[in-house]
């Protein structure tokens, strides 16, 4: 009894410490994504998205972006109504929780359903969080990832457990995702995973039916026992592997998924129709297609080539790593032959020499792996963690590694069909995530919450269980060279991604290098640290807006400063990022004409105009002023040839605007 009590206490202690460790993992995964909520000021995407969320009810949002990212804007608008959401830090906290949710979804699915080791999954989720370069204010990205991951999880559960409700709900999430971001439409390709699963199940059942037809002999009995069926059951299911059964099951699974997909689309489109009218939605989405006339990088061919081109470019390094592994394999084969030759010869001296060769080869390859790490780091990595460069190549190669591992597992006869299902979904998820963006493969780096734990798990199993394989007498195929290079690359990625996650925070498409000063006269920016230069700009313009009671006044922004509408609490008169290429001239012209009509016919208050300083210089003295101001020639030509800027200047002249405020970054214009 005493011995039994001792074992029980030890088991209880292990469970208790295991639970404590997992609770620690969960706490870290929740709070680690919030590490930068008060760090830095972004004049582009962050404030631009919060502007759209805050003023959605006022009808100031451009219809193209309203409807092409409708569900994300609705969710963002709900967030603005939560407690303490009236500041930049508050909004960053709430939107940052989307990353926490993704990490927890990935963690619980991988540990509970896929039975991966908790420590490995936790490490994978940390890598995935660290690679999230996109500001969390871009809710249409992170909500897309939540629905995409959720759909993948429900699809897996529905197929493995044969639960139609899960399949319907997977379809619902994919259908809703089209309303989160219209470019999520290609995600319906995830149905390929359903068809692949049904094919694998059909092959397995076909094999079982063959076993059943072998009769009740000893061989047939043993085979049916291994499949988990009694011989009689195998005989009864002899038609389970028929083509008719395959098509029936595939059609049924496809129908359940499509039912959920169509239901989500119909319900959400009905809500849009009731609130806005379906014609408004169609018009907004059609403008999205017309946008490619001005922004060619959003064309489907351009986006696909951007993804493929990045993978092809990095094949250069993949090929060289493969050559290193191949060279090591040949080296170990020759060494293994010599070792085997010496061990087969009589005498202690030969046995000792053979063992030394065995140990020496591994020590030499350990050194070679370290040198590979140093070589790779010097060639594909950057230590400037305030840009995308540190993760661009290793992040792309990590994606390629996941796809390679998944492909190998799919064609491995010893791999279970459940693991093949996950592998197939990852081959779809990684490229599909990047479609719809002009950022190449970078969006996929933002959505590795399933891929990163999967890769680390497969690598861990390969390193732990793969040994030397004797092909024939004296010829050995060793897995040690591949292990060494693989571990070198994983360590490189862990270091690079971890440092990037610790130091990078998005601001104007690059990282924040200095965040030490706060702005004290702006409630939106309360407690947010930024560079002294930006703090000075914002303090001056915030003071002017407060002194002249301009909060709540409509503003026209021009010059890559769309976030200023949110920071100054001034609703945009129309699209706050009107200088963006994707916002066509004809639409801005229509908005300018609408403003003129409101002013002339109804006596509406003229909006305030806020320009970036370069446009104010041009407005004062043309190209000469820009040249005297030290503006580069390419930028001068861009301003001089901008038809939308000419349109705005004409509006300012015709309405009699005067400059009322100016600092090093901004210039404000009002009617005297």
């Amino acid at each position: 009894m005493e011995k039994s009590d001792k074992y029980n206490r030890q088991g209880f202690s292990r469970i208790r410490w295991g639970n404590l460790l997992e609770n620690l993992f969960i706490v870290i995964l929740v709070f680690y994504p919030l590490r930068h909520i008060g760090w830095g000021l972004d004049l582009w995407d962050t404030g631009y998205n919060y502007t759209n969320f805050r003023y959605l009810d006022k009808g100031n949002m451009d219809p193209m972006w309203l409807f092409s990212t409708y569900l994300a804007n609705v969710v963002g608008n709900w967030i603005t109504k939560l407690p303490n959401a009236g500041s930049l830090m508050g909004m960053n906290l709430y939107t940052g929780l989307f990353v926490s949710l993704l990490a927890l979804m990935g963690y619980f699915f991988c540990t509970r359903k896929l039975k991966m080791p908790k420590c490995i999954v936790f490490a994978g989720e940390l890598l995935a969080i660290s690679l999230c370069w996109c500001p969390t204010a871009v809710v249409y990205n992170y909500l897309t990832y939540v629905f995409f991951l959720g759909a993948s999880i429900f699809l897996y559960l529905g197929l493995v457990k044969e639960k139609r409700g899960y399949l319907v709900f997977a379809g619902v999430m994919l259908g809703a995702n089209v309303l989160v971001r219209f470019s999520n439409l290609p995600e319906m390709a995830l149905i390929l995973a359903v068809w692949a699963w049904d094919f694998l199940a059909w092959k397995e059942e076909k094999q079982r039916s063959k076993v059943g037809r072998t009769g009740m002999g000893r061989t047939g009995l043993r085979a049916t026992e291994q499949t988990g069926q009694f011989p009689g059951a195998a005989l009864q299911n002899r038609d389970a592997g028929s083509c008719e059964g395959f098509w029936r099951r595939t059609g049924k699974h496809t129908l359940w998924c499509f039912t959920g997909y169509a239901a989500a689309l119909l319900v959400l489109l009905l809500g849009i129709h009731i609130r806005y009218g379906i014609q408004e939605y169609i018009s907004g989405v059609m403008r999205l297609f017309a946008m490619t006339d001005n922004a060619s990088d959003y064309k489907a061919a351009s986006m696909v080539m951007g993804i493929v081109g990045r993978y092809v470019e990095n094949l250069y390094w993949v090929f060289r790593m493969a050559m290193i592994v191949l060279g090591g394999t040949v080296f170990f084969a020759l060494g293994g032959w010599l070792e085997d030759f010496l061990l087969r010869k009589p005498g202690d001296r030969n046995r000792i020499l053979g063992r030394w060769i065995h140990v020496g080869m591994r020590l030499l390859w350990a050194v070679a792996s370290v040198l590979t790490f140093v070589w790779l780091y010097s060639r594909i990595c950057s230590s400037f963690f305030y840009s995308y460069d540190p993760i661009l190549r290793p992040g792309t190669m990590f994606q390629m590694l996941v796809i390679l591992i998944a492909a190998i597992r799919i064609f491995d006869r010893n791999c279970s069909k459940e693991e093949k299902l996950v592998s197939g979904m990852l081959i779809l998820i990684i490229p599909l995530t990047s479609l719809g963006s002009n950022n190449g493969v970078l969006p996929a780096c933002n959505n590795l919450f399933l891929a990163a734990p999967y890769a680390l798990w497969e690598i861990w199993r390969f390193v732990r269980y793969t040994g030397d394989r004797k092909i024939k007498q004296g010829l050995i195929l060793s897995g040690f060279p591949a292990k060494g290079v693989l571990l070198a690359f994983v360590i490189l990625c862990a270091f690079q991604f971890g440092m990037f996650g610790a130091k990078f925070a998005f601001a104007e498409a690059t990282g924040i290098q200095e965040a030490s000063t706060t702005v004290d006269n702006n409630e939106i920016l309360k407690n947010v640290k930024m560079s002294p230069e930006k703090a000075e700009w914002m303090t001056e313009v915030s003071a002017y807006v407060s002194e002249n009671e301009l909060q709540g006044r409509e503003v026209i922004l021009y010059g890559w400063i769309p976030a200023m509408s949110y920071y100054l609490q001034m609703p945009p008169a129309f699209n706050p990022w009107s200088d963006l290429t994707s916002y066509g001239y004809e639409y801005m012209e229509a908005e300018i004409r609408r403003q003129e009509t409101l002013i002339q016919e109804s006596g509406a208050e003229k909006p305030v105009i806020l320009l970036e300083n370069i446009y104010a210089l041009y407005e004062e003295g043309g190209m000469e002023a820009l040249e005297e101001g030290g503006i580069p020639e390419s930028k001068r030509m861009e301003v001089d040839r901008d038809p939308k800027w000419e349109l705005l200047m004409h509006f300012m002249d015709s309405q009699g605007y005067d400059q009322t405020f100016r600092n090093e970054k901004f210039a404000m214009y009002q009617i005297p």
Side-chain angles (χ1 to χ4, degrees):
M1 291 295 293
E2 292 180 0
K3 191 173 183 179
S4 177
D5 289 343
K6 179 181 178 182
Y7 288 147
N8 288 337
R9 286 196 300 270
Q10 289 177 345
F12 176 76
S13 179
R14 284 195 296 270
I15 292 172
R16 184 183 64 181
W17 283 108
N19 290 338
L20 287 175
L21 187 62
E22 182 172 58
N23 290 335
L24 177 62
F25 288 167
I26 292 171
V27 169
I28 293 173
L29 292 179
V30 170
F31 287 100
Y32 180 55
L34 309 178
R35 63 199 179 281
H36 292 153
I37 62 172
W39 193 12
L41 185 77
D42 172 33
L43 298 177
W44 294 4
D45 294 84
T46 301
Y48 169 68
N49 282 277
Y50 290 160
T51 295
N52 289 331
F53 300 160
R54 180 164 186 170
Y55 300 113
L56 181 66
D57 295 334
K58 294 182 178 293
N60 294 50
M61 190 175 180
D62 179 25
M64 180 179 72
W65 293 117
L66 169 63
F67 293 119
S68 62
T69 57
Y70 178 73
L71 204 53
N73 294 316
V74 171
V75 171
N77 183 252
W78 289 344
I79 292 174
T80 63
K81 297 175 172 59
L82 294 175
N84 301 315
S87 67
L88 179 59
M89 277 190 70
M91 288 297 293
N92 285 344
L93 185 149
Y94 286 122
T95 57
L97 290 175
F98 282 109
V99 183
S100 304
L101 176 61
L102 282 162
L104 292 178
M105 288 171 65
Y107 178 83
F108 285 117
F109 175 62
C110 290
T111 56
R112 300 299 193 270
K113 301 303 179 182
L114 302 183
K115 305 301 180 182
M116 298 182 188
K118 295 175 182 178
C119 291
I120 290 177
V121 175
F122 173 69
E125 297 301 340
L126 283 183
L127 291 184
I129 294 170
S130 297
L131 279 172
C132 288
W133 57 271
C134 182
T136 57
V138 187
V139 170
Y140 61 77
N141 275 342
Y142 289 98
L143 195 57
T144 288
Y145 306 148
V146 168
F147 279 152
F148 204 6
L149 179 57
S152 302
I153 292 172
F154 281 111
L155 200 62
Y156 175 89
L157 296 175
L159 293 172
V160 170
K161 296 180 178 294
E162 279 292 330
K163 298 282 188 179
R164 69 177 65 173
Y166 287 150
L167 294 177
V168 171
F169 205 66
V172 168
M173 300 195 87
L174 288 178
N177 227 3
V178 178
L179 274 295
V180 172
R181 189 179 64 180
F182 188 78
S183 56
N184 291 335
L185 199 61
E187 290 177 4
M188 66 171 63
L190 206 59
I191 196 67
L192 293 174
V194 177
W195 299 343
W197 168 268
D198 290 333
F199 176 74
L200 292 173
W202 170 70
K203 283 188 65 179
E204 186 177 280
E205 290 172 357
K206 189 176 181 181
Q207 184 64 32
R208 289 179 181 176
S209 65
K210 286 181 180 178
V211 170
R213 287 193 295 269
T214 60
M216 293 296 294
R218 181 176 297 178
T219 304
L221 179 61
R222 186 183 303 115
T224 53
E225 285 174 348
Q226 289 175 354
T227 64
Q229 290 184 318
F230 292 108
L235 288 170
Q236 291 173 4
N237 295 331
R238 60 183 179 273
D239 296 326
S242 67
C243 288
E244 182 182 351
F246 166 73
W247 288 112
R248 186 186 301 115
R249 175 169 47 211
T250 303
K252 184 171 62 175
H253 287 166
T254 304
L255 178 62
W256 289 124
C257 292
F258 178 76
T259 299
Y261 192 91
L265 280 178
L266 288 174
V267 169
L268 291 171
L269 288 176
L270 179 62
I272 291 175
H273 175 64
I274 293 172
R275 184 171 182 181
Y276 301 99
I278 197 65
Q279 280 302 122
E280 289 294 318
Y281 175 79
I282 295 173
S283 176
V285 171
M286 291 305 294
R287 273 187 56 192
L288 189 69
F289 290 101
M291 177 188 73
T292 57
D293 294 337
N294 300 315
S296 59
D297 53 340
Y298 278 100
K299 290 183 177 179
S302 178
M303 289 187 288
V304 171
M305 290 309 299
I307 298 168
V308 174
R310 181 61 63 181
Y311 288 144
V312 171
E313 177 187 332
N314 281 275
L315 282 175
Y316 175 90
W317 301 104
V318 173
F319 177 77
R320 276 150 181 76
M321 291 174 66
M323 289 299 100
I324 293 173
V325 173
L326 180 60
T329 303
V330 173
F331 170 70
F332 269 73
L334 293 174
W337 174 83
L338 182 58
E339 177 189 351
D340 184 71
F341 174 77
L342 290 171
L343 290 176
R344 282 189 285 110
K345 292 187 69 175
D348 293 340
R349 182 178 178 183
N350 290 326
R351 285 195 297 272
I352 293 171
L353 186 57
R355 293 192 187 109
W356 272 107
I357 290 174
H358 181 86
V359 174
M361 285 191 303
R362 279 152 178 75
L363 290 175
L364 281 174
W365 197 253
V367 174
S369 299
V370 172
L371 293 176
T372 300
F373 172 88
V374 174
W375 170 73
L376 272 178
Y377 193 89
S378 65
R379 301 302 299 272
I380 71 171
C381 293
S382 166
S383 58
F384 188 70
F385 292 102
Y386 306 104
S387 69
Y388 303 135
D389 289 345
I391 64 164
L392 194 54
R393 280 181 175 164
T396 304
M397 292 174 67
F398 188 81
Q399 294 177 37
M400 296 171 72
L401 177 63
V402 174
I403 293 173
L404 175 63
I405 292 172
I408 291 172
R409 298 304 291 163
I410 286 174
F411 291 102
D412 187 348
R413 292 183 179 180
N414 298 320
C415 183
S416 68
K417 66 179 187 292
E418 290 81 8
E419 189 178 339
K420 289 183 178 182
L421 174 60
V422 175
S423 301
M425 286 197 297
L426 285 173
I427 291 177
L428 293 170
I429 289 171
I430 289 176
L432 287 174
T433 298
S434 293
L435 282 179
S437 170
N438 61 346
N439 290 313
V441 300
L442 279 175
C445 287
N446 249 90
N447 188 27
L448 295 176
F449 295 93
L450 179 56
Y454 168 89
L456 295 186
W457 176 52
E458 294 286 7
I459 291 168
W460 175 76
R461 291 200 300 172
F462 174 78
V463 171
R464 183 175 181 182
Y465 297 113
T466 302
D468 296 343
R469 181 180 178 184
K470 184 174 288 189
I471 299 176
K472 60 181 182 179
Q473 186 67 34
L475 184 59
I476 296 174
L477 182 64
S478 177
F480 199 83
K483 292 180 185 180
V485 173
L486 198 55
L487 284 176
F489 180 70
V490 169
I491 293 170
L492 180 148
C493 288
F495 174 78
Q496 200 72 357
F497 299 166
M499 291 297 293
F500 179 82
K503 293 189 175 184
F504 184 89
F506 183 95
E508 291 94 58
T510 186
I512 296 163
Q513 297 188 48
E514 186 180 6
S516 59
T517 311
T518 58
V519 174
D520 298 326
N521 62 345
N522 187 314
E523 286 299 313
I524 297 291
L525 303 179
K526 188 176 181 180
N527 297 323
V528 175
K529 293 183 179 181
M530 63 194 79
S531 68
E533 184 181 33
K534 281 187 175 180
E536 184 178 357
W537 299 341
M538 294 307 301
T539 298
E540 291 171 352
V541 71
S542 298
Y544 179 82
V545 168
S546 180
E547 290 168 5
N548 291 272
E549 299 180 348
L550 297 179
Q551 290 95 342
R553 285 277 302 274
E554 288 193 345
V555 64
I556 297 175
L557 301 160
Y558 206 83
W560 290 76
I561 51 172
M564 295 304 294
S565 174
Y566 174 69
Y567 299 151
L568 299 179
Q569 303 179 64
M570 300 176 69
F574 48 87
N575 191 331
W577 209 338
S578 53
D579 46 313
L580 202 60
T581 307
S582 57
Y583 186 64
Y585 173 86
E586 62 274 18
Y587 302 111
M588 182 169 174
E589 183 181 31
E591 288 293 344
I592 291 290
R593 298 292 172 257
R594 185 177 67 86
Q595 290 294 323
E596 291 175 339
T597 301
L598 288 173
I599 293 169
Q600 293 170 4
E601 295 183 0
S602 59
E605 189 176 33
K606 296 179 180 179
V608 177
I609 295 177
L610 185 65
L611 304 177
E612 190 179 5
N613 196 35
I614 185 174
Y615 291 94
L617 282 173
Y618 186 92
E619 195 271 338
E620 292 173 353
M623 291 289 281
E624 292 182 3
L626 293 181
E627 188 173 358
E628 291 175 2
I631 307 300
E633 183 179 0
S634 59
K635 188 65 177 176
R636 297 200 303 266
M637 298 302 293
E638 181 183 330
V639 173
D640 188 53
R641 297 174 180 176
D642 185 352
K644 289 188 290 185
W645 167 231
E646 291 182 8
L647 184 67
L648 183 57
M649 278 197 298
H650 182 269
F651 173 75
M652 293 166 65
D653 291 340
S654 64
Q655 298 299 324
Y657 277 86
D658 284 340
Q659 186 180 114
T660 57
F661 170 82
R662 180 77 172 276
N663 67 4
E664 291 185 3
K665 183 64 176 178
F666 310 110
M668 191 170 288
Y669 295 79
Q670 294 176 265
I671 303 301

